[in-house]
Amino acid sequence: FKGTPLAEMINAATIATNELLNHKDDKGYLLDVLVGYIASKNKAAIMLVRAAGFKVSGIIPNAAFNDETGESEEVVVLYKNRQQQVK
């Protein structure tokens, strides 16, 4: 995604996650909420998903192993549901 304008990345993330949350079958919605986590030091990724409508739920210490450093690091847990969709 290097070189892609930030607004385009936010728009793509918003559209993709809204599509997932609005996907239905004959019984109704298939997903109620999307949950993910990102290494807390990855500020750009956190900003991107927050701009796409995700909310921060909290931080989990030592939740992801960083192969480059050989140590575990904390992650930010984020979620988005249909009520939080960005138009």
Side-chain angles (χ1 to χ4, degrees), residues 23-67:
H23 193 73
K24 294 181 182 181
D25 66 7
D26 58 337
K27 295 179 184 175
Y29 291 107
L30 297 177
L31 299 171
D32 293 320
V33 64
L34 301 174
V35 178
Y37 64 88
I38 300 171
S40 63
K41 66 181 180 181
N42 192 343
K43 305 297 185 200
I46 294 167
M47 184 276 310
L48 174 70
V49 297
R50 289 189 73 197
F54 281 75
K55 303 292 183 205
V56 173
S57 178
I59 294 174
I60 303 174
N62 301 314
F65 183 76
N66 183 329
D67 195 47

Side-chain angles (χ1 to χ4, degrees), residues 1-11 48:
F1 297 101
K2 220 171 210 169
T4 304
L6 180 59
E8 286 183 30
M9 291 192 304
I10 292 170
N11 189 49
L48 174 70

